[in-house]
Amino acid sequence: VAELVARPHGLVPQIDTELCAIDRGDWSGLTVDDVQAHFPGQWEAWCTDRTYTDHGGESFDQALTRARALLHRVRKHATPDREVSVVLVTHLTRMASIIAQVTGQTQEEWLQQSRGGSVSCGSILVLELSPESDHVTV
């Protein structure tokens, strides 16, 4: 998808691991219902404990740390007198993590956002990053 967006503008996509989907560990490929059936109590623990990693994947805090690192790198390309446009092609959970980082969402709000909130597959997320403040539009 990134190539389809970049090619008409003469750009070459850069692969960035910070844009990978959240690491689900043992839950990879499973629905929430599957996780709840096969790993009793783990989904609920992940939803309430910001540092939960017993499933072998990322915690909520780790997902936000990755989003924060990505935003920091993107912000470095702009200066007060120079705006920069960046297109990020990524997964739903990563977009929700970026929104959570910019807006200060709680883990519960992040869960709602990534499970049928205003972000869905194919969404366009517009980030306006500046030294003074950040703004996000979906």
Side-chain angles (χ1 to χ4, degrees):
V1 173
E3 285 185 18
L4 295 173
V5 173
R7 190 177 306 128
H9 303 283
L11 302 172
V12 177
Q14 297 176 359
I15 296 175
D16 189 325
T17 57
E18 301 298 337
L19 291 171
C20 293
I22 193 167
D23 181 358
R24 300 278 185 203
D26 297 336
W27 307 341
S28 292
L30 301 178
T31 66
V32 172
D33 289 340
D34 291 339
V35 170
Q36 290 173 321
H38 299 290
F39 301 94
Q42 286 192 10
W43 176 254
E44 293 76 11
W46 190 90
C47 291
T48 56
D49 179 354
R50 295 176 62 97
T51 62
Y52 184 83
T53 58
D54 288 0
H55 63 301
E58 281 182 288
S59 69
F60 177 71
D61 280 351
Q62 289 170 329
L64 288 191
T65 297
R66 208 159 38 114
R68 187 171 32 258
L70 172 69
L71 291 170
H72 177 73
R73 278 200 325 281
V74 169
R75 186 180 283 112
K76 285 190 334 185
H77 293 285
T79 61
D81 58 332
R82 181 176 151 237
E83 261 185 37
V84 175
S85 296
V86 178
V87 175
L88 306 175
V89 179
T90 190
H91 298 265
L92 175 76
T93 55
R94 180 58 44 219
M95 287 186 11
S97 297
I98 291 168
I99 292 169
Q101 179 60 43
V102 170
T103 63
Q105 286 181 337
T106 65
Q107 187 169 4
E108 183 177 333
E109 291 167 328
W110 179 92
L111 285 164
Q112 290 171 350
Q113 186 84 318
S114 61
R115 296 184 78 206
S118 59
V119 177
S120 61
C121 294
S123 291
I124 295 175
L125 176 67
V126 178
L127 296 172
E128 296 171 6
L129 305 174
S130 73
E132 300 84 36
S133 66
D134 298 336
H135 179 74
V136 63
T137 305
V138 180

